[in-house]
């Protein structure tokens, strides 16, 4: 069940630094609803909360944790939430956009890659497992994050290894917190897991990464499975507030990218990570709105093309049309 946490910000107590402009006392606070997943890609959002960046921007956040990526997209499409912080499902967002055109805008990407030396995902197995690659999964079971995004990516990874995802491998939806226990307990033979699952697996000593960043090696490097999303309704009806949200996430992204060691202890509050596992955590690759470039667009396009190839969504889809433009913010 989603866990709703309302972070109250009183107008008369916010931004009481006596400064002017952005840091001035708030004449009015705006309530904004966010839906998020407890994974590494969402780190910038956690930092924004802990550093009270939303409060300083005169925003009161209604923060709802979800257990599966599709829940985030469902909430946004149904307009029960205004934005999905970093870590919302990049692929499912485009499936939703195909069904409900013009509902969402992307304003950041998150993932990892070989060239950038940032871990996004891993093939997780028991330390003594004979499974060393996706080609070794014939007759085996593979767990993944619940929902169509990681089911599709998993199918593509299995197919790319020369196996039939319908007959050679059993794919199993597994909530993030259940993935390492499932491997250790033998419920599944392996999982394709997002960080911090891989780091937790390595730290436990009871599981290991057979492959690091396998998806980047097959689909695109860097690879982005996460996105920052907002509804076009939020953007059109409250553009000033939407602009503040983008600025807050960009600022928090810069903080994380600049000093991950300082901020990673926050992850124990928001993800399954335990304090004694922090030293094993891999830094995520986070791209804020202001930094998105052509390489990022090509990488995102490659993911969407996989969904088209796997028959999940009809193409063509040009991701550039779905990404927030500076003109959308009045810049």
């Amino acid at each position: 069940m989603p866990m709703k946490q309302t972070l109250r910000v009183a107008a008369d107590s916010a931004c009481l630094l006596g400064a002017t402009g952005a840091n001035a006392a708030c004449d009015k606070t705006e309530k904004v609803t966010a839906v998020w997943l407890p994974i590494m890609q969402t780190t910038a959002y956690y930092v924004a909360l802990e550093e009270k960046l939303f409060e300083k921007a005169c925003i009161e956040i209604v923060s709802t944790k979800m257990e599966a990526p599709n829940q985030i997209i469902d909430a946004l499409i149904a307009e029960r939430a205004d934005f999905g912080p970093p870590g919302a499902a990049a692929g499912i967002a485009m499936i939703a956009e195909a069904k409900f055109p013009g509902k969402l805008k992307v304003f950041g990407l998150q993932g990892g890659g070989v060239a950038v030396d940032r871990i996004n995902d891993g093939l997780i197995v028991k330390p003594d497992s004979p499974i060393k690659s996706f080609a070794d999964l014939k007759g085996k079971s593979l767990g993944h994050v619940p929902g169509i995004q990681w089911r599709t990516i998993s199918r593509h990874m299995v197919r790319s290894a020369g196996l039939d995802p319908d007959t050679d491998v059993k794919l199993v939806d597994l909530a993030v917190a259940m993935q390492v226990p499932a491997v250790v307990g033998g419920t599944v033979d392996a999982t394709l897991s997002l960080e911090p699952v891989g780091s937790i697996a390595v730290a436990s000593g009871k599981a290991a990464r057979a492959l690091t960043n396998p998806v980047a090696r097959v689909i695109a490097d860097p690879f982005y499975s996460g996105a920052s999303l907002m509804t076009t309704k939020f953007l059109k009806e409250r553009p000033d507030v939407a602009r503040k949200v983008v600025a807050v996430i960009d600022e928090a992204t810069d903080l994380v990218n600049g000093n991950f060691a300082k901020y990673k202890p926050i992850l124990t509050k928001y993800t399954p990570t335990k304090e004694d596992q922090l030293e094993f955590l891999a830094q995520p690759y986070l791209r804020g709105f202001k930094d998105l470039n052509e390489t990022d667009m090509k990488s995102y396009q490659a993911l969407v093309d996989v969904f088209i190839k796997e028959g999940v969504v009809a193409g063509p889809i040009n991701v550039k049309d779905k990404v927030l433009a500076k003109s959308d913010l009045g810049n």
Side-chain angles (χ1 to χ4, degrees):
M1 292 294 293
M3 179 189 72
K4 183 167 288 187
Q5 172 194 18
T6 302
L7 304 172
R8 299 291 178 185
V9 184
D12 59 354
S13 64
C15 314
L16 296 180
L17 299 178
T20 58
N23 288 327
C26 301
D27 294 326
K28 176 185 178 183
T29 56
E30 291 279 355
K31 184 178 289 187
V32 176
T33 301
V35 282
W36 57 280
L37 201 63
I39 57 175
M40 291 286 288
Q41 293 178 355
T42 316
T43 301
Y45 178 65
Y46 312 146
V47 170
L49 294 177
E50 295 296 311
E51 293 286 1
K52 302 188 184 304
L53 300 184
F54 289 109
E55 293 183 26
K56 293 172 185 176
C58 303
I59 293 172
E60 174 190 339
I61 288 289
V62 178
S63 188
T64 305
K65 182 174 77 172
M66 300 297 194
E67 295 302 329
N70 60 293
Q71 294 176 342
I72 293 175
I73 307 303
D74 289 346
L76 293 171
I77 293 297
E79 297 175 349
R80 297 192 303 269
D82 299 306
F83 80 105
I92 302 178
M94 292 303 100
I95 296 174
E97 264 291 300
K99 293 180 179 178
F100 306 98
K103 280 275 192 174
L104 301 174
K105 283 291 185 180
V106 176
F107 66 99
L109 293 169
Q110 305 82 39
V114 179
V116 296
D117 194 27
R118 294 286 184 266
I119 300 176
N120 179 69
D121 49 78
L123 181 64
I124 310 303
V125 298
K126 287 183 179 179
D128 60 351
S129 172
I131 297 170
K132 305 300 181 186
S133 70
F134 282 82
D136 298 327
L137 288 172
K138 187 169 185 176
K140 307 291 186 182
S141 55
L142 175 68
H144 57 79
V145 176
I148 189 65
Q149 171 156 316
W150 281 94
R151 173 62 61 106
T152 302
I153 292 170
S154 296
R155 288 177 60 85
H156 183 75
M157 295 298 292
V158 167
R159 200 187 307 278
S160 296
L163 302 179
D164 187 331
D166 293 313
T167 59
D168 292 333
V169 181
K170 180 183 178 182
L171 297 179
V172 181
D173 282 25
L174 278 176
V176 173
M178 294 304 299
Q179 291 179 6
V180 172
V183 170
V184 173
T187 305
V188 295
D189 297 295
T191 60
L192 176 55
S193 297
L194 283 166
E195 280 296 301
V197 174
S199 292
I200 293 172
V202 171
S204 73
K206 297 178 181 178
R209 287 190 191 97
L211 293 171
T212 300
N213 281 330
V215 184
R217 299 174 190 275
V218 172
I219 296 179
D221 188 19
F223 171 71
Y224 300 112
S225 57
S228 308
L229 304 169
M230 68 170 57
T231 68
T232 52
K233 180 177 186 289
F234 175 50
L235 178 63
K236 291 176 181 177
E237 293 184 356
R238 296 193 287 168
D240 291 342
V241 185
R243 189 183 304 115
K244 289 179 180 180
V245 167
V246 172
V248 164
I249 295 298
D250 269 7
E251 181 181 354
T253 298
D254 286 346
L255 290 174
V256 176
N257 288 339
N259 196 346
F260 180 62
K262 174 182 176 181
Y263 290 107
K264 68 180 178 179
I266 292 173
L267 291 164
T268 60
K269 180 175 177 180
Y270 296 94
T271 76
T273 310
K274 295 179 174 60
E275 190 171 345
D276 61 359
Q277 298 166 337
L278 288 173
E279 64 179 295
F280 299 97
L281 292 187
Q283 182 172 347
Y285 189 53
L286 309 178
R287 302 290 287 170
F289 171 67
K290 64 182 176 57
D291 296 322
L292 293 178
N293 59 27
E294 192 64 29
T295 297
D296 301 326
M297 293 301 99
K298 288 180 179 178
S299 177
Y300 192 12
Q301 186 68 58
L303 171 62
V304 174
D305 289 345
V306 165
F307 280 75
I308 296 170
K309 184 177 181 180
E310 289 289 331
V312 175
V313 64
I317 296 174
N318 186 348
V319 299
K320 288 183 180 180
D321 297 336
K322 311 299 183 180
V323 174
L324 188 71
K326 290 183 178 179
S327 59
D328 293 327
L329 298 173
N331 292 344

